[in-house]
Amino acid sequence: MEDRGKVILGITSIAFLIFIAYSFITNVSPYKTVSEVLELKEAYNIQVNGTIVANSTKILGNTTTFELTDGKSVMKVIYQGTTHYQENIPVVVVGDYKSGVFHAYKVLTKCHTEYKVEKKEEKDK
Amino acid sequence: MDVGEILLVISLFSALYSIYAFYEGVKKRSADLLLNGERAIFIYFLMLLFASLLLLSHFLSRDFSYQYVFYNSDSRLSLLYTVSAFWAGKEGSLLLWALFIATLNLFILSDKKDSFTAYTLAITGLFLAFINVLLLTTSNPFARIPAQPEGLGLNPLLRTIEMVLHPPVVFLSYAGLLIPFAMAFSGYLLRKEWERRAFKYLLPSWILLGLGIFIGGWWAYRTLGWGGFWGWDPVENSSMLPWLTSTLLFHTMYLERRISDRWLKLVNYYLVVLTFLLVVFATFITRSGIISSVHAFGEGPEGIAFLFVIIFTGLLSVYIQKRSERNFLMNPNTEELRITVNKETSIIFYLIVILMLFLAVLIGTLMPTFGFDVGRKYYESIMFPVEIILLALFGICIRLKWNWDGELREKFLIPFVVFMIVSLSIFALFRDLLISIATGFFAFSLLNYLVGVYTGKIRFLRRYGAYLVHIGVMLLFIGSIGVWNLSDTKQFALSLDESVSVGNYELKFITLDAKEDFEKFSIFAEIQVYENGKLVGTIKPEMREYKVIRENRIVSTVEILSFPFHDLYVSLNGISGDFKKIGIEVHINRLVNFVWLGMILVTAGGIYTYLNIRGQEKLREKEE
């Protein structure tokens, strides 16, 4: 391949890589444990692993609230939407933590071979 | 030791022996050894077949003293799902994969019997032995537990016809993708051309992998209830990665046949290796059963074994390529790729786009290992420009000539005018920039394809298969942009007799009722759907509780009213304790039928090409 061709292909690839990096940075969401989250004041678009505390789920109209624990600390979660998980199972919640409450926009439950995504994806989040 | 385990041990030893026999047979030019190698293949094929039948019989006889049977079935399970429970988990899937590899090895035997075939069979045998070791250690389908009165039952989400078909189709394609890889290795070791012979296995494997992914997407859409067909989670992504690299491989092979650039030869080689490594990666992710599955690589001996195979094979491929290169004159009259206005440049740009998409998906899939995750927004923001560029590139590429093309204005003026007209009118109608540009380029490319077909010559009949595949991909792109960008989603809590409206539709909650059958209890909501005041249908989304003892036994079903340009998609999310209120999620998914149509065309085009090539081969054999 001649040099001019290499330059053209190189520039195209680099442009794409920058674009991927940009998309990545604007959409990345780190994993945290419940204890780590509680130490923070606010955090946005994070994923938290934990277990749903038994008998903590309350459903009010369209809103579900429950408590999530990592064995050390307990965090309150609000989820706009209804789910039908069983309590006492490990889940991952995705959302924002502010003023002492976790606002989830996704609740992911784990299963044996497959898992199901239960979520309310806000279109213009 | 269990009978099944004994069969697996015999299979392992015959696989190991076949490797020795084929390798030494070629080295010593011993016909006897090669014949013994063939016999060893028959033996391990039969052993794996018997082992599979044995496992199946344990399922059918409900023998819950086998751990795998206990975890994946129960005594109420219907015959069809009892059979499919075979591949519902990791152990059975690996056994099925091994059986498929052995079966395909028998097929390879029907090819020309030369040193190339012998080396290929030694390499596929080596990988088979690896799986066989896993089957005897960490993933033993014949592991026993104290006898249980009842099994845990099959995961309710897997009780669909799609999930009966999906795993065998995917694993057959994974077994198929092992062969081109083995052929590339033996080609380099023996310094022989491998691409042509590998292509024969690559194409059907690619078709099957695509088909498997499509069935999976269809299943996700109709079963999971979140409204989409592709969630970009590690399990889905990991099956898409080898599909992308093998798609790349077709194009570099196509280019390389035209322009024997040395660089392209190398790209072919490394792409086939990469595709196989991604297959190994995908199997591990899919069957480890952990949510952010890549975590699991560091945990347990099996993850380490898979990781070892990936790294070792990767390093070995570099070593083999370097070692063989010195004396390996690929083509004495090598040409060079020229980057200018021509067909090859448009294909190269296409390759860069797919490569970048591949990297983006790979990065997104691996990130959970490093404590980060990216959502669907990340993938969609990558996919939109990729789709737009490809929609335009397809139409440009088809009309360009090889080497140099200067007649741009004559060729593209009318299609460009068509692009402008379609884009502007769609924009005037829907006020969405993305879909207007996409449909504009779709019209642009489709017109170019039609001109291409019209001016094409009859002897290129087999090109029509490729045309069909590309048109299918374009439809898939239009459909996915519609679903991702134009769809509406709303959640409601509904009381009895209450109505809610979504778009032009009004949904009225009529009643809640219950039913019971042999395997489950169901509560279903009857909802009437009105469009502009007129009743268009009644839907009954269900909440089911299966009569099994496993934890995840409650699932909700999805109801879909399908129209040509959109689906009304409703899933039941919850029912209040007093049975007076329900929670539903309503999606209006636009253009989703284009996705399915696109998938069908891609598969049909692939099959057409394959049959055409096989037909030509048969013709050539007859002439010879």
Side-chain angles (χ1 to χ4, degrees):
Chain A
M1 203 187 296
E2 78 277 50
D3 285 347
R4 194 176 58 108
K6 279 180 193 157
V7 171
I8 295 174
L9 298 183
I11 290 173
T12 320
S13 310
I14 289 166
F16 257 107
L17 287 174
I18 292 171
F19 173 67
I20 294 175
Y22 173 76
S23 298
F24 183 78
I25 290 164
T26 49
N27 288 292
V28 72
S29 117
Y31 282 119
K32 300 263 182 231
T33 65
V34 173
S35 310
E36 281 167 5
V37 175
L38 292 179
E39 284 167 16
L40 303 167
K41 233 184 191 163
E42 284 186 340
Y44 294 92
N45 197 19
I46 53 172
Q47 313 215 357
V48 188
N49 272 299
T51 308
I52 296 177
V53 178
N55 301 321
S56 70
T57 304
K58 293 187 185 72
I59 300 169
L60 257 175
N62 207 11
T63 309
T64 309
T65 62
F66 57 87
E67 282 168 357
L68 195 72
T69 178
D70 60 352
K72 288 180 237 158
S73 326
V74 178
M75 174 178 81
K76 195 170 181 187
V77 181
I78 295 186
Y79 175 61
Q80 292 297 321
T82 41
T83 65
H84 49 85
Y85 55 77
Q86 290 124 4
E87 290 179 323
N88 240 335
I89 57 162
V91 293
V92 176
V93 291
V94 186
D96 307 329
Y97 179 71
K98 48 198 174 196
S99 43
V101 181
F102 192 86
H103 299 264
Y105 40 86
K106 254 191 239 175
V107 178
L108 302 142
T109 55
K110 300 181 181 186
C111 300
H112 176 54
T113 50
E114 293 282 347
Y115 59 89
K116 171 170 173 158
V117 180
E118 294 177 338
K119 70 176 98 166
K120 173 185 172 286
E121 184 87 354
E122 285 147 318
K123 215 185 159 214
D124 313 303
K125 211 223 95 211
Chain B
M1 204 180 210
D2 194 86
V3 182
E5 288 167 343
I6 293 171
L7 293 171
L8 289 175
V9 169
I10 301 173
S11 154
L12 174 62
F13 279 107
S14 23
L16 290 173
Y17 176 75
S18 80
I19 302 165
Y20 162 80
F22 283 124
Y23 184 73
E24 285 292 312
V26 171
K27 222 171 155 189
K28 293 183 179 155
R29 297 172 187 276
S30 154
D32 286 346
L33 264 177
L34 290 174
L35 192 64
N36 280 342
E38 286 183 37
R39 286 182 185 134
I41 291 183
F42 277 101
I43 292 172
Y44 66 64
F45 166 73
L46 284 176
M47 291 305 119
L48 289 168
L49 181 68
F50 290 149
S52 305
L53 290 174
L54 190 64
L55 183 60
L56 192 62
S57 77
H58 294 324
F59 269 108
L60 293 174
S61 65
R62 317 274 188 213
D63 189 341
F64 302 121
S65 66
Y66 287 93
Q67 191 181 359
Y68 187 67
V69 178
F70 168 75
Y71 271 119
N72 292 294
S73 70
D74 68 296
S75 51
R76 290 173 194 270
L77 201 60
S78 70
L79 177 66
L80 180 68
Y81 296 142
T82 307
V83 172
S84 78
F86 186 109
W87 45 81
K90 182 179 65 175
E91 292 83 350
S93 304
L94 286 180
L95 179 57
L96 188 71
W97 196 14
L99 178 65
F100 283 152
I101 292 172
T103 314
L104 290 179
N105 281 351
L106 288 180
F107 270 95
I108 301 177
L109 270 185
S110 66
D111 278 5
K112 200 160 64 176
K113 284 181 187 168
D114 55 3
S115 53
F116 181 83
T117 300
Y119 268 35
T120 303
L121 287 168
I123 295 161
T124 55
L126 185 60
F127 186 70
L128 183 82
F130 165 68
I131 298 188
N132 217 322
V133 169
L134 293 184
L135 285 171
L136 281 166
T137 52
T138 52
S139 296
N140 183 356
F142 297 103
R144 302 293 285 256
I145 48 173
Q148 303 289 324
E150 181 61 286
L152 287 183
L154 182 67
N155 184 344
L157 291 171
L158 303 183
R159 299 181 191 207
T160 65
I161 188 73
E162 294 94 331
M163 275 297 133
V164 174
L165 297 172
H166 171 81
V169 171
V170 170
F171 277 101
L172 185 56
S173 83
Y174 284 178
L177 287 172
L178 169 64
I179 299 169
F181 158 78
M183 287 184 165
F185 263 26
S186 50
Y188 265 75
L189 287 171
L190 294 162
R191 299 177 167 81
K192 277 187 176 172
E193 201 268 351
W194 59 274
E195 279 103 328
R196 205 167 286 271
R197 286 170 79 167
F199 188 81
K200 194 173 137 191
Y201 293 93
L202 182 66
L203 181 60
S205 312
W206 177 86
I207 297 168
L208 284 170
L209 182 54
L211 184 65
I213 293 173
F214 299 159
I215 296 173
W218 174 253
W219 168 80
Y221 185 70
R222 303 183 67 84
T223 312
L224 294 185
W226 62 272
F229 60 93
W230 194 261
W232 300 103
D233 66 61
V235 173
E236 292 167 327
N237 287 351
S238 63
S239 68
M240 184 188 187
L241 292 171
W243 190 84
L244 283 177
T245 53
S246 46
T247 305
L248 278 173
L249 183 57
F250 280 124
H251 293 84
T252 54
M253 279 181 158
Y254 175 61
L255 267 187
E256 194 265 336
R257 251 177 292 184
R258 279 271 172 181
I259 306 144
S260 46
D261 191 303
R262 204 183 140 273
W263 178 76
L264 280 171
K265 274 260 177 200
L266 274 184
V267 172
N268 282 346
Y269 173 76
Y270 281 111
L271 274 177
V272 85
V273 173
L274 183 62
T275 302
F276 173 68
L277 297 184
L278 290 167
V279 162
V280 178
F281 177 67
T283 307
F284 179 71
I285 285 206
T286 318
R287 289 308 179 198
S288 63
I290 299 168
I291 189 161
S292 300
S293 327
V294 263
H295 279 309
F297 262 115
E299 300 161 8
E302 195 161 56
I304 292 165
F306 271 99
L307 202 61
F308 172 76
V309 167
I310 291 175
I311 292 172
F312 174 75
T313 314
L315 292 176
L316 188 67
S317 71
V318 177
Y319 171 74
I320 288 178
Q321 183 260 321
K322 292 275 179 230
R323 202 192 72 141
S324 314
E325 202 179 25
R326 243 168 281 148
N327 316 321
F328 195 9
L329 273 180
M330 289 140 190
N331 195 332
N333 40 356
T334 326
E335 297 163 65
E336 277 212 334
L337 263 175
R338 281 172 47 82
I339 302 300
T340 162
V341 182
N342 57 21
K343 201 184 205 76
E344 46 271 42
T345 304
S346 68
I347 298 177
I348 294 279
F349 272 101
Y350 159 84
L351 294 176
I352 290 180
V353 174
I354 299 286
L355 190 67
M356 291 298 150
L357 175 61
F358 166 77
L359 280 179
V361 177
L362 185 68
I363 291 169
T365 310
L366 287 177
M367 269 308 124
T369 320
F370 305 106
F372 294 100
D373 200 4
V374 285
R376 268 166 48 208
K377 286 270 178 318
Y378 162 74
Y379 294 101
E380 285 171 16
S381 70
I382 304 267
M383 275 308 278
F384 288 140
V386 165
E387 289 177 328
I388 298 279
I389 294 171
L390 291 185
L391 278 168
L393 257 182
F394 283 168
I396 295 171
C397 176
I398 185 87
R399 298 290 302 282
L400 287 179
K401 283 185 195 149
W402 297 96
N403 299 324
W404 164 252
D405 199 327
E407 308 155 350
L408 295 183
R409 191 174 298 172
E410 298 89 277
K411 277 182 179 161
F412 294 116
L413 185 63
I414 296 172
F416 183 72
V417 171
V418 169
F419 162 76
M420 290 305 287
I421 294 171
V422 172
S423 289
L424 290 174
S425 30
I426 295 285
F427 189 75
L429 278 173
F430 298 105
R431 305 269 156 196
D432 186 273
L433 192 62
L434 202 58
I435 196 73
S436 346
I437 298 176
T439 41
F441 277 133
F442 176 67
F444 167 87
S445 286
L446 196 63
L447 181 64
N448 282 323
Y449 265 87
L450 292 177
V451 175
V453 169
Y454 183 71
T455 54
K457 290 168 187 142
I458 292 296
R459 69 192 170 94
F460 288 136
L461 209 57
R462 83 181 220 203
R463 291 272 170 81
Y464 290 149
Y467 289 175
L468 217 53
V469 170
H470 287 105
I471 291 171
V473 171
M474 291 198 281
L475 286 172
L476 187 60
F477 285 172
I478 294 286
S480 66
I481 291 177
V483 176
W484 294 337
N485 199 40
L486 300 177
S487 297
D488 293 324
T489 306
K490 275 187 178 162
Q491 290 208 338
F492 301 100
L494 268 177
S495 304
L496 272 176
D497 287 325
E498 195 186 342
S499 293
V500 285
S501 54
V502 187
N504 290 335
Y505 294 100
E506 202 184 318
L507 281 80
K508 192 176 180 191
F509 175 28
I510 299 294
T511 175
L512 205 60
D513 210 340
K515 58 185 178 184
E516 186 191 345
D517 64 22
F518 185 60
E519 54 169 14
K520 60 183 180 286
F521 305 102
S522 318
I523 300 177
F524 62 92
E526 196 178 317
I527 298 170
Q528 286 180 342
V529 181
Y530 297 88
E531 188 182 9
N532 301 321
K534 210 177 103 225
L535 184 71
V536 286
T538 304
I539 49 173
K540 291 175 180 170
E542 292 178 26
M543 190 80 94
R544 291 176 178 169
E545 180 168 9
Y546 282 83
K547 299 173 183 171
V548 289
I549 43 183
R550 64 184 302 126
E551 258 185 4
N552 47 334
R553 57 179 174 268
I554 301 177
V555 291
S556 64
T557 65
V558 174
E559 288 282 294
I560 299 167
L561 284 181
S562 198
F563 303 95
F565 293 100
H566 66 271
D567 277 5
L568 182 77
Y569 180 110
V570 181
S571 62
L572 190 60
N573 268 349
I575 299 169
S576 67
D578 56 1
F579 296 101
K580 284 188 175 143
K581 266 190 156 185
I582 54 167
I584 54 167
E585 191 172 312
V586 184
H587 300 259
I588 294 181
N589 287 327
R590 293 186 212 282
L591 304 182
V592 67
N593 281 332
F594 284 59
V595 173
W596 315 131
L597 184 63
M599 289 176 173
I600 292 168
L601 286 189
V602 170
T603 310
I607 294 172
Y608 177 89
T609 310
Y610 180 66
L611 294 177
N612 207 292
I613 290 173
R614 288 307 298 257
Q616 282 177 349
E617 257 176 25
K618 289 236 167 80
L619 214 67
R620 214 178 299 138
E621 274 167 27
K622 251 184 206 164
E623 278 170 9
E624 278 168 13

